[in-house]
Amino acid sequence: MKLASALGVGASKLLVSLAVLAAGFRAVSDDDYARVVIAERFVELPRLDPSGTSWLPLPFWVYGAGFRLLGVGLGAARVTAVLLGVGAVLLLLAAARKLGAGNVGAVTAALVAAFFPWSAWLGAATVPEAPAAALMVYALSTLATATQRDRALGAVAVAAACFCRYEAWPVALGFAAFTAYDAARARSARLLPAAALALAPIVLWLLHGTFVHGDTIFFWKRVAGYRHALGESPPLVERLGAVPRSLFAEEPELWLGLAFVRPSLWRSRYFRPALVSALLLAFLAAGELSGGGPTHHAGRAALPIWYLVTLALGHAVGERWDARAAGRAVWLALPAGVVTVGWLFRALVRPGFPDRDPAVRVGTEARTRGAPGLLIDTPDYSYFAVTAAFGRPTAAEPFDDHDPRRPRPPDAFASEDALRARWAARPDAWLVVSRLHADTASRVGRVLLKTPEFALVAPAPKTSL
Protein backbone atom coordinates (compact mmCIF):
# COMPACT_ATOMS: atom_id res chain seq x y z
CA MET A 1 0.00 0.00 0.00
CA LYS A 2 2.74 2.48 0.94
CA LEU A 3 4.72 1.74 -2.21
CA ALA A 4 1.65 2.13 -4.41
CA SER A 5 0.80 5.41 -2.69
CA ALA A 6 4.32 6.73 -3.19
CA LEU A 7 4.31 5.75 -6.86
CA GLY A 8 0.94 7.44 -7.36
CA VAL A 9 2.03 10.63 -5.61
CA GLY A 10 5.33 10.73 -7.50
CA ALA A 11 3.62 10.17 -10.84
CA SER A 12 1.09 12.92 -10.06
CA LYS A 13 3.83 15.41 -9.26
CA LEU A 14 5.66 14.48 -12.43
CA LEU A 15 2.51 15.17 -14.46
CA VAL A 16 2.01 18.52 -12.71
CA SER A 17 5.56 19.61 -13.51
CA LEU A 18 5.26 18.53 -17.14
CA ALA A 19 1.91 20.32 -17.38
CA VAL A 20 3.22 23.68 -16.12
CA LEU A 21 6.23 23.42 -18.44
CA ALA A 22 3.95 22.56 -21.37
CA ALA A 23 1.82 25.59 -20.48
CA GLY A 24 4.84 27.83 -20.97
CA PHE A 25 6.28 28.22 -17.47
CA ARG A 26 10.07 28.32 -17.55
CA ALA A 27 11.43 30.31 -14.61
CA VAL A 28 10.37 32.27 -11.57
CA SER A 29 13.00 34.94 -12.25
CA ASP A 30 16.39 35.48 -13.85
CA ASP A 31 17.87 33.87 -10.73
CA ASP A 32 16.78 30.50 -12.15
CA TYR A 33 19.06 30.98 -15.14
CA ALA A 34 21.82 32.49 -13.02
CA ARG A 35 21.79 29.36 -10.85
CA VAL A 36 22.06 27.14 -13.93
CA VAL A 37 25.03 29.20 -15.15
CA ILE A 38 26.79 28.79 -11.78
CA ALA A 39 26.15 25.04 -11.80
CA GLU A 40 27.51 24.80 -15.36
CA ARG A 41 30.61 26.74 -14.29
CA PHE A 42 30.94 24.41 -11.29
CA VAL A 43 31.22 21.46 -13.70
CA GLU A 44 33.99 23.24 -15.61
CA LEU A 45 35.75 24.66 -12.53
CA PRO A 46 34.85 22.66 -9.41
CA ARG A 47 35.11 24.53 -6.10
CA LEU A 48 33.61 24.11 -2.64
CA ASP A 49 31.61 27.35 -2.88
CA PRO A 50 30.48 27.37 -6.53
CA SER A 51 28.78 30.77 -6.52
CA GLY A 52 31.25 32.76 -4.41
CA THR A 53 28.25 34.92 -3.46
CA SER A 54 25.61 34.80 -0.74
CA TRP A 55 23.95 31.75 -2.35
CA LEU A 56 24.41 28.53 -0.39
CA PRO A 57 26.34 25.71 -2.10
CA LEU A 58 24.32 22.46 -1.95
CA PRO A 59 21.97 23.19 -4.90
CA PHE A 60 24.98 23.78 -7.17
CA TRP A 61 26.58 20.53 -6.04
CA VAL A 62 23.35 18.68 -6.85
CA TYR A 63 22.84 20.32 -10.25
CA GLY A 64 26.52 19.83 -11.04
CA ALA A 65 26.11 16.12 -10.33
CA GLY A 66 23.04 16.13 -12.58
CA PHE A 67 25.05 17.73 -15.37
CA ARG A 68 27.75 15.10 -14.98
CA LEU A 69 25.12 12.40 -15.54
CA LEU A 70 22.87 14.08 -18.12
CA GLY A 71 25.14 16.58 -19.84
CA VAL A 72 25.40 20.33 -19.42
CA GLY A 73 22.49 22.51 -20.49
CA LEU A 74 19.04 23.83 -19.70
CA GLY A 75 17.39 20.53 -20.63
CA ALA A 76 19.42 18.64 -18.05
CA ALA A 77 18.76 21.39 -15.50
CA ARG A 78 15.00 21.08 -16.00
CA VAL A 79 15.11 17.29 -15.71
CA THR A 80 17.03 17.68 -12.44
CA ALA A 81 14.52 20.26 -11.19
CA VAL A 82 11.53 18.06 -11.99
CA LEU A 83 13.10 15.05 -10.25
CA LEU A 84 13.85 17.16 -7.17
CA GLY A 85 10.23 18.33 -7.19
CA VAL A 86 9.04 14.73 -7.23
CA GLY A 87 11.40 13.92 -4.37
CA ALA A 88 10.01 16.87 -2.43
CA VAL A 89 6.42 15.61 -2.44
CA LEU A 90 7.56 12.10 -1.52
CA LEU A 91 9.31 13.61 1.51
CA LEU A 92 6.06 15.39 2.38
CA LEU A 93 4.19 12.09 2.09
CA ALA A 94 6.61 10.60 4.63
CA ALA A 95 6.28 13.68 6.85
CA ALA A 96 2.49 13.41 6.88
CA ARG A 97 2.76 9.82 8.09
CA LYS A 98 5.16 10.78 10.87
CA LEU A 99 2.66 13.42 11.98
CA GLY A 100 0.06 10.70 12.41
CA ALA A 101 -1.93 10.82 9.17
CA GLY A 102 -3.29 7.57 7.81
CA ASN A 103 -2.76 6.53 4.21
CA VAL A 104 -5.69 8.56 2.85
CA GLY A 105 -4.70 11.63 4.82
CA ALA A 106 -1.02 11.38 3.87
CA VAL A 107 -1.75 10.87 0.18
CA THR A 108 -4.25 13.73 0.17
CA ALA A 109 -1.74 16.02 1.86
CA ALA A 110 0.99 15.14 -0.62
CA LEU A 111 -1.32 15.63 -3.62
CA VAL A 112 -2.47 19.06 -2.44
CA ALA A 113 1.18 19.95 -1.83
CA ALA A 114 1.99 18.81 -5.37
CA PHE A 115 -0.81 20.71 -7.07
CA PHE A 116 -1.22 24.13 -5.45
CA PRO A 117 0.14 26.89 -7.71
CA TRP A 118 3.35 28.01 -6.03
CA SER A 119 4.36 24.42 -5.37
CA ALA A 120 3.65 23.49 -8.99
CA TRP A 121 5.83 26.31 -10.29
CA LEU A 122 8.68 25.90 -7.82
CA GLY A 123 8.68 22.14 -8.32
CA ALA A 124 9.53 22.66 -11.99
CA ALA A 125 11.91 25.62 -11.60
CA THR A 126 15.69 25.37 -11.36
CA VAL A 127 15.71 26.87 -7.85
CA PRO A 128 16.05 25.04 -4.51
CA GLU A 129 12.92 26.29 -2.73
CA ALA A 130 10.72 23.19 -3.17
CA PRO A 131 13.21 20.50 -2.08
CA ALA A 132 14.54 22.72 0.72
CA ALA A 133 11.02 23.40 2.05
CA ALA A 134 10.18 19.69 1.95
CA LEU A 135 13.38 18.88 3.85
CA MET A 136 12.41 21.42 6.52
CA VAL A 137 8.90 20.05 6.91
CA TYR A 138 10.18 16.49 7.08
CA ALA A 139 12.61 17.51 9.81
CA LEU A 140 9.79 19.17 11.76
CA SER A 141 7.65 16.05 11.43
CA THR A 142 10.30 14.04 13.28
CA LEU A 143 9.80 16.29 16.31
CA ALA A 144 6.50 14.44 16.78
CA THR A 145 8.42 11.21 17.46
CA ALA A 146 10.99 10.37 20.07
CA THR A 147 13.04 7.67 18.35
CA GLN A 148 16.73 8.28 17.84
CA ARG A 149 16.52 7.11 14.23
CA ASP A 150 13.73 9.53 13.30
CA ARG A 151 15.45 12.44 14.97
CA ALA A 152 18.72 11.61 13.20
CA LEU A 153 16.90 11.57 9.85
CA GLY A 154 15.31 14.89 10.72
CA ALA A 155 18.71 16.36 11.54
CA VAL A 156 20.14 15.22 8.20
CA ALA A 157 17.14 16.73 6.40
CA VAL A 158 17.32 20.13 8.09
CA ALA A 159 21.11 20.21 7.76
CA ALA A 160 20.76 19.70 4.01
CA ALA A 161 18.12 22.44 3.89
CA CYS A 162 20.47 24.80 5.75
CA PHE A 163 22.95 24.45 2.90
CA CYS A 164 20.18 25.35 0.41
CA ARG A 165 18.14 28.25 1.81
CA TYR A 166 18.64 30.67 4.71
CA GLU A 167 15.04 30.31 5.92
CA ALA A 168 16.05 26.80 7.01
CA TRP A 169 18.30 28.32 9.68
CA PRO A 170 15.56 29.26 12.18
CA VAL A 171 13.98 25.86 11.51
CA ALA A 172 17.28 24.21 12.43
CA LEU A 173 17.48 26.30 15.60
CA GLY A 174 13.97 25.26 16.60
CA PHE A 175 14.67 21.63 15.75
CA ALA A 176 17.88 21.66 17.81
CA ALA A 177 16.16 23.35 20.76
CA PHE A 178 13.35 20.79 20.93
CA THR A 179 15.80 17.92 20.44
CA ALA A 180 18.03 19.19 23.25
CA TYR A 181 14.94 19.62 25.45
CA ASP A 182 13.87 16.03 24.77
CA ALA A 183 17.38 14.82 25.61
CA ALA A 184 17.35 16.74 28.90
CA ARG A 185 13.87 15.52 29.80
CA ALA A 186 14.88 11.91 29.12
CA ARG A 187 18.19 12.47 30.97
CA SER A 188 19.96 10.88 28.02
CA ALA A 189 22.51 12.24 25.58
CA ARG A 190 21.43 9.99 22.71
CA LEU A 191 19.55 12.78 20.92
CA LEU A 192 22.22 15.44 21.30
CA PRO A 193 24.20 14.43 18.18
CA ALA A 194 21.07 15.13 16.13
CA ALA A 195 20.82 18.62 17.64
CA ALA A 196 24.49 19.27 16.87
CA LEU A 197 24.16 18.01 13.29
CA ALA A 198 21.21 20.32 12.65
CA LEU A 199 23.28 23.35 13.64
CA ALA A 200 26.55 22.28 11.99
CA PRO A 201 25.88 23.82 8.54
CA ILE A 202 25.09 27.21 10.10
CA VAL A 203 28.34 27.17 12.06
CA LEU A 204 30.32 26.03 9.02
CA TRP A 205 28.88 28.77 6.78
CA LEU A 206 29.55 31.45 9.37
CA LEU A 207 33.14 30.20 9.64
CA HIS A 208 33.34 30.21 5.85
CA GLY A 209 32.30 33.87 5.89
CA THR A 210 34.85 34.70 8.55
CA PHE A 211 37.87 33.01 6.99
CA VAL A 212 37.09 33.18 3.24
CA HIS A 213 35.15 36.43 2.90
CA GLY A 214 36.53 38.22 5.94
CA ASP A 215 33.03 38.85 7.29
CA THR A 216 30.94 36.41 9.31
CA ILE A 217 27.63 37.71 8.00
CA PHE A 218 28.84 38.54 4.48
CA PHE A 219 25.72 36.94 2.97
CA TRP A 220 23.31 39.28 4.74
CA LYS A 221 25.37 42.34 3.87
CA ARG A 222 25.47 41.37 0.21
CA VAL A 223 21.70 40.93 -0.02
CA ALA A 224 21.06 44.12 1.93
CA GLY A 225 23.57 45.99 -0.21
CA TYR A 226 21.90 44.79 -3.40
CA ARG A 227 18.45 45.81 -2.20
CA HIS A 228 19.77 49.18 -1.14
CA ALA A 229 21.39 49.71 -4.54
CA LEU A 230 18.06 49.01 -6.25
CA GLY A 231 16.68 52.23 -4.76
CA GLU A 232 14.77 53.61 -1.82
CA SER A 233 13.33 50.91 0.45
CA PRO A 234 9.56 50.73 1.05
CA PRO A 235 8.06 52.49 4.09
CA LEU A 236 8.29 50.75 7.48
CA VAL A 237 4.58 49.89 7.52
CA GLU A 238 4.85 48.21 4.15
CA ARG A 239 7.89 46.22 5.24
CA LEU A 240 6.12 45.15 8.44
CA GLY A 241 3.23 43.78 6.42
CA ALA A 242 5.29 42.20 3.65
CA VAL A 243 5.64 38.75 5.22
CA PRO A 244 2.02 38.33 6.42
CA ARG A 245 0.78 39.64 3.08
CA SER A 246 2.85 37.10 1.14
CA LEU A 247 1.92 34.29 3.50
CA PHE A 248 -1.84 34.80 3.32
CA ALA A 249 -2.48 36.66 0.06
CA GLU A 250 -0.39 34.53 -2.30
CA GLU A 251 -2.07 31.22 -1.45
CA PRO A 252 -5.38 32.22 0.21
CA GLU A 253 -7.15 28.97 -0.66
CA LEU A 254 -4.89 26.95 1.66
CA TRP A 255 -6.00 29.01 4.64
CA LEU A 256 -9.66 28.58 3.70
CA GLY A 257 -9.09 24.83 3.79
CA LEU A 258 -7.75 25.11 7.35
CA ALA A 259 -11.27 25.91 8.56
CA PHE A 260 -11.96 22.17 8.33
CA VAL A 261 -9.01 21.18 10.54
CA ARG A 262 -9.97 20.50 14.15
CA PRO A 263 -8.15 22.84 16.56
CA SER A 264 -6.99 19.95 18.73
CA LEU A 265 -4.84 18.71 15.83
CA TRP A 266 -2.59 21.75 16.25
CA ARG A 267 -2.27 21.03 19.96
CA SER A 268 -1.06 17.49 19.38
CA ARG A 269 1.59 16.42 16.89
CA TYR A 270 1.49 19.68 14.94
CA PHE A 271 2.25 21.89 17.93
CA ARG A 272 6.03 21.80 17.62
CA PRO A 273 6.12 22.21 13.82
CA ALA A 274 3.70 25.14 14.12
CA LEU A 275 5.81 26.77 16.83
CA VAL A 276 8.98 26.48 14.76
CA SER A 277 7.06 27.87 11.77
CA ALA A 278 6.29 30.94 13.87
CA LEU A 279 10.04 31.27 14.45
CA LEU A 280 10.54 31.10 10.69
CA LEU A 281 7.99 33.90 10.20
CA ALA A 282 9.81 36.05 12.75
CA PHE A 283 13.08 35.42 10.88
CA LEU A 284 11.52 36.44 7.56
CA ALA A 285 9.99 39.57 9.11
CA ALA A 286 13.35 40.54 10.62
CA GLY A 287 14.93 40.09 7.20
CA GLU A 288 12.42 42.43 5.60
CA LEU A 289 12.90 45.08 8.28
CA SER A 290 16.70 44.92 8.04
CA GLY A 291 16.82 44.90 4.24
CA GLY A 292 18.00 41.30 3.94
CA GLY A 293 14.75 39.73 2.73
CA PRO A 294 14.05 38.24 -0.71
CA THR A 295 14.39 40.72 -3.56
CA HIS A 296 11.48 39.23 -5.54
CA HIS A 297 8.50 36.90 -5.11
CA ALA A 298 8.66 36.96 -1.33
CA GLY A 299 6.10 34.16 -1.07
CA ARG A 300 8.77 31.63 -2.07
CA ALA A 301 10.20 31.80 1.44
CA ALA A 302 6.78 30.90 2.91
CA LEU A 303 6.70 27.55 1.10
CA PRO A 304 7.57 25.44 4.20
CA ILE A 305 4.58 26.93 6.04
CA TRP A 306 2.27 26.32 3.09
CA TYR A 307 3.51 22.74 2.95
CA LEU A 308 2.76 22.31 6.66
CA VAL A 309 -0.76 23.66 6.09
CA THR A 310 -1.34 21.13 3.30
CA LEU A 311 -0.26 18.34 5.66
CA ALA A 312 -2.79 19.46 8.26
CA LEU A 313 -5.49 19.73 5.59
CA GLY A 314 -4.79 16.26 4.27
CA HIS A 315 -4.70 14.90 7.83
CA ALA A 316 -8.15 16.38 8.48
CA VAL A 317 -9.56 14.85 5.30
CA GLY A 318 -8.14 11.47 6.29
CA GLU A 319 -9.79 11.67 9.71
CA ARG A 320 -13.19 12.43 8.19
CA TRP A 321 -12.71 9.67 5.66
CA ASP A 322 -12.14 7.12 8.41
CA ALA A 323 -14.93 8.41 10.64
CA ARG A 324 -17.74 9.04 8.14
CA ALA A 325 -17.82 6.55 5.32
CA ALA A 326 -21.15 7.91 4.09
CA GLY A 327 -19.72 11.36 3.36
CA ARG A 328 -16.44 10.39 1.79
CA ALA A 329 -17.19 12.03 -1.55
CA VAL A 330 -17.77 15.35 0.21
CA TRP A 331 -14.43 15.20 1.97
CA LEU A 332 -12.61 14.24 -1.20
CA ALA A 333 -14.12 17.32 -2.83
CA LEU A 334 -12.48 19.56 -0.20
CA PRO A 335 -8.84 19.20 -1.31
CA ALA A 336 -9.88 19.19 -4.97
CA GLY A 337 -11.80 22.41 -4.37
CA VAL A 338 -8.85 24.01 -2.59
CA VAL A 339 -6.53 23.30 -5.52
CA THR A 340 -9.12 24.46 -8.07
CA VAL A 341 -9.73 27.73 -6.23
CA GLY A 342 -5.97 28.28 -6.08
CA TRP A 343 -5.56 27.98 -9.84
CA LEU A 344 -8.65 30.12 -10.53
CA PHE A 345 -7.20 32.78 -8.24
CA ARG A 346 -3.89 32.60 -10.08
CA ALA A 347 -5.66 32.97 -13.42
CA LEU A 348 -6.77 36.41 -12.19
CA VAL A 349 -3.66 37.40 -10.21
CA ARG A 350 -0.60 35.94 -11.92
CA PRO A 351 2.92 36.49 -10.56
CA GLY A 352 5.30 38.29 -12.87
CA PHE A 353 7.44 35.55 -14.39
CA PRO A 354 9.97 36.63 -17.06
CA ASP A 355 9.75 35.42 -20.63
CA ARG A 356 13.29 34.50 -21.61
CA ASP A 357 12.49 32.15 -24.49
CA PRO A 358 14.02 34.54 -27.10
CA ALA A 359 17.26 34.68 -25.09
CA VAL A 360 17.28 30.89 -24.72
CA ARG A 361 16.74 30.45 -28.47
CA VAL A 362 19.66 32.65 -29.46
CA GLY A 363 21.92 31.01 -26.87
CA THR A 364 20.94 27.58 -28.15
CA GLU A 365 21.59 28.69 -31.75
CA ALA A 366 25.06 29.89 -30.79
CA ARG A 367 25.77 26.56 -29.16
CA THR A 368 24.45 24.60 -32.15
CA ARG A 369 26.56 26.61 -34.59
CA GLY A 370 29.69 26.02 -32.51
CA ALA A 371 30.43 29.56 -31.35
CA PRO A 372 33.83 29.55 -29.58
CA GLY A 373 32.58 32.15 -27.10
CA LEU A 374 30.00 34.89 -26.63
CA LEU A 375 29.89 38.57 -25.79
CA ILE A 376 26.30 39.25 -24.79
CA ASP A 377 24.37 42.50 -25.00
CA THR A 378 20.97 42.50 -23.29
CA PRO A 379 18.92 45.32 -21.78
CA ASP A 380 18.41 43.36 -18.56
CA TYR A 381 19.46 40.14 -16.79
CA SER A 382 18.40 37.94 -19.72
CA TYR A 383 22.08 37.42 -20.52
CA PHE A 384 21.91 34.68 -17.89
CA ALA A 385 19.38 32.82 -20.05
CA VAL A 386 21.61 33.22 -23.11
CA THR A 387 24.60 31.91 -21.16
CA ALA A 388 22.68 28.99 -19.63
CA ALA A 389 21.44 27.90 -23.05
CA PHE A 390 24.95 28.28 -24.52
CA GLY A 391 26.20 25.87 -21.85
CA ARG A 392 29.77 27.19 -21.55
CA PRO A 393 29.71 29.99 -18.99
CA THR A 394 33.49 30.39 -18.85
CA ALA A 395 33.40 31.31 -22.56
CA ALA A 396 30.57 33.84 -22.28
CA GLU A 397 30.38 37.27 -20.70
CA PRO A 398 27.99 40.24 -20.84
CA PHE A 399 28.88 43.71 -22.07
CA ASP A 400 27.09 44.99 -18.95
CA ASP A 401 26.07 42.80 -15.99
CA HIS A 402 23.50 45.43 -14.83
CA ASP A 403 24.59 45.02 -11.20
CA PRO A 404 23.33 48.18 -9.46
CA ARG A 405 26.22 48.00 -6.97
CA ARG A 406 28.78 48.62 -9.72
CA PRO A 407 29.28 51.60 -12.05
CA ARG A 408 28.13 51.14 -15.63
CA PRO A 409 30.87 50.33 -18.16
CA PRO A 410 31.47 52.56 -21.20
CA ASP A 411 28.86 52.10 -23.94
CA ALA A 412 30.42 49.64 -26.40
CA PHE A 413 27.75 50.51 -28.97
CA ALA A 414 28.27 54.27 -28.96
CA SER A 415 30.09 53.90 -32.29
CA GLU A 416 31.57 51.30 -34.59
CA ASP A 417 35.05 52.12 -33.31
CA ALA A 418 33.92 51.64 -29.68
CA LEU A 419 32.49 48.23 -30.54
CA ARG A 420 35.64 47.20 -32.42
CA ALA A 421 37.76 48.23 -29.44
CA ARG A 422 35.64 46.20 -27.03
CA TRP A 423 35.51 43.21 -29.37
CA ALA A 424 39.29 43.26 -29.75
CA ALA A 425 39.62 41.91 -26.20
CA ARG A 426 37.73 38.76 -27.30
CA PRO A 427 38.35 38.62 -31.08
CA ASP A 428 37.12 35.04 -31.54
CA ALA A 429 33.87 35.52 -29.63
CA TRP A 430 30.54 35.92 -31.35
CA LEU A 431 28.15 38.67 -30.38
CA VAL A 432 24.62 38.28 -29.10
CA VAL A 433 23.15 41.75 -29.37
CA SER A 434 19.74 43.26 -28.76
CA ARG A 435 17.90 44.56 -31.83
CA LEU A 436 18.60 48.08 -30.57
CA HIS A 437 22.29 47.53 -31.35
CA ALA A 438 21.95 45.09 -34.25
CA ASP A 439 22.66 47.68 -36.96
CA THR A 440 25.92 48.77 -35.33
CA ALA A 441 27.02 45.16 -34.87
CA SER A 442 26.11 44.25 -38.47
CA ARG A 443 28.50 46.91 -39.79
CA VAL A 444 31.36 45.46 -37.76
CA GLY A 445 30.67 41.73 -38.04
CA ARG A 446 28.71 39.13 -39.99
CA VAL A 447 25.05 38.59 -39.01
CA LEU A 448 24.20 34.90 -38.76
CA LEU A 449 20.73 35.15 -37.25
CA LYS A 450 18.16 37.84 -36.61
CA THR A 451 15.09 37.46 -34.43
CA PRO A 452 12.63 40.12 -33.26
CA GLU A 453 14.69 40.49 -30.07
CA PHE A 454 18.31 39.53 -30.82
CA ALA A 455 20.95 39.15 -33.48
CA LEU A 456 23.80 36.64 -33.53
CA VAL A 457 26.91 38.18 -35.08
CA ALA A 458 30.19 36.43 -35.95
CA PRO A 459 33.50 38.20 -36.59
CA ALA A 460 33.86 39.48 -40.13
CA PRO A 461 36.06 37.31 -42.37
CA LYS A 462 39.63 38.46 -42.48
CA THR A 463 40.62 39.82 -45.85
CA SER A 464 43.94 38.87 -47.42
CA LEU A 465 46.17 41.35 -49.23
Side-chain angles (χ1 to χ4, degrees):
M1 177 67 76
K2 287 186 177 182
L3 178 59
S5 299
L7 290 174
V9 167
S12 298
K13 181 59 178 176
L14 178 61
L15 290 175
V16 172
S17 296
L18 295 178
V20 296
L21 290 172
F25 172 80
R26 292 293 180 270
V28 173
S29 74
D30 288 312
D31 284 356
D32 301 42
Y33 297 106
R35 285 182 173 276
V36 173
V37 169
I38 293 169
E40 290 174 340
R41 186 180 296 119
F42 173 61
V43 174
E44 293 186 40
L45 300 171
R47 49 188 285 188
L48 192 60
D49 178 14
S51 77
T53 68
S54 59
W55 279 344
L56 291 154
L58 182 56
F60 304 113
W61 300 342
V62 173
Y63 275 84
F67 290 156
R68 286 288 187 185
L69 292 172
L70 304 172
V72 173
L74 275 174
R78 291 198 175 109
V79 170
T80 304
V82 168
L83 292 177
L84 289 173
V86 171
V89 295
L90 293 178
L91 265 181
L92 294 173
L93 178 67
R97 289 190 171 122
K98 288 195 182 299
L99 287 167
N103 191 61
V104 171
V107 169
T108 301
L111 289 177
V112 175
F115 277 83
F116 75 84
W118 263 113
S119 177
W121 291 320
L122 291 172
T126 55
V127 290
E129 278 86 340
L135 286 166
M136 287 181 242
V137 173
Y138 179 83
L140 293 179
S141 73
T142 65
L143 294 177
T145 71
T147 68
Q148 187 175 1
R149 177 182 177 275
D150 282 348
R151 205 60 65 89
L153 290 173
V156 170
V158 78
C162 283
F163 270 138
C164 294
R165 296 284 302 175
Y166 289 103
E167 58 262 29
W169 289 21
V171 176
L173 291 172
F175 177 92
F178 275 119
T179 300
Y181 170 76
D182 289 341
R185 189 175 58 176
R187 296 183 179 180
S188 170
R190 63 189 180 88
L191 293 179
L192 290 180
L197 177 58
L199 298 177
I202 302 175
V203 174
L204 289 173
W205 195 246
L206 293 175
L207 291 173
H208 171 76
T210 301
F211 293 106
V212 176
H213 296 277
D215 190 338
T216 305
I217 55 171
F218 75 100
F219 48 88
W220 176 84
K221 290 182 178 179
R222 289 191 178 187
V223 174
Y226 182 82
R227 291 192 66 169
H228 177 73
L230 289 175
E232 185 177 350
S233 61
L236 177 62
V237 174
E238 186 175 338
R239 282 181 284 152
L240 280 172
V243 172
R245 183 172 61 252
S246 298
L247 182 65
F248 293 103
E250 295 196 23
E251 289 293 352
E253 74 284 357
L254 297 179
W255 303 98
L256 294 174
L258 273 190
F260 297 91
V261 178
R262 58 182 174 86
S264 60
L265 190 63
W266 294 105
R267 296 193 295 268
S268 55
R269 290 188 165 224
Y270 284 81
F271 174 74
R272 287 181 170 187
L275 200 60
V276 177
S277 295
L279 184 62
L280 168 58
L281 281 178
F283 175 84
L284 295 176
E288 284 292 333
L289 291 176
S290 63
T295 54
H296 63 87
H297 299 99
R300 297 171 298 134
L303 189 61
I305 299 173
W306 289 334
Y307 277 161
L308 188 62
V309 170
T310 65
L311 263 57
L313 176 60
H315 198 142
V317 170
E319 288 181 333
R320 265 64 170 202
W321 177 277
D322 293 336
R324 303 177 185 179
R328 284 178 173 178
V330 174
W331 289 108
L332 280 182
L334 173 61
V338 165
V339 171
T340 301
V341 168
W343 281 107
L344 289 174
F345 174 73
R346 279 302 168 200
L348 299 173
V349 186
R350 294 187 63 83
F353 297 145
D355 177 13
R356 299 305 186 212
D357 282 351
V360 169
R361 282 196 294 271
V362 74
T364 302
E365 185 69 19
R367 178 177 183 170
T368 302
R369 291 177 181 241
L374 293 181
L375 285 172
I376 306 168
D377 159 53
T378 59
D380 47 32
Y381 289 107
S382 55
Y383 66 85
F384 283 122
V386 177
T387 306
F390 184 53
R392 293 171 52 212
T394 57
E397 64 177 275
F399 282 94
D400 184 353
D401 64 8
H402 300 285
D403 190 326
R405 294 165 294 184
R406 288 195 278 266
R408 303 277 59 78
D411 183 4
F413 296 91
S415 66
E416 292 178 29
D417 289 339
L419 180 56
R420 286 192 181 96
R422 176 66 180 86
W423 204 346
R426 294 280 307 277
D428 294 331
W430 294 8
L431 305 185
V432 171
V433 297
S434 63
R435 285 302 298 265
L436 179 66
H437 299 138
D439 288 343
T440 304
S442 66
R443 292 192 293 269
V444 176
R446 178 167 49 98
V447 177
L448 302 179
L449 173 73
K450 263 192 178 183
T451 72
E453 295 84 8
F454 295 104
L456 180 63
V457 182
K462 295 181 179 178
T463 57
S464 57
L465 295 177

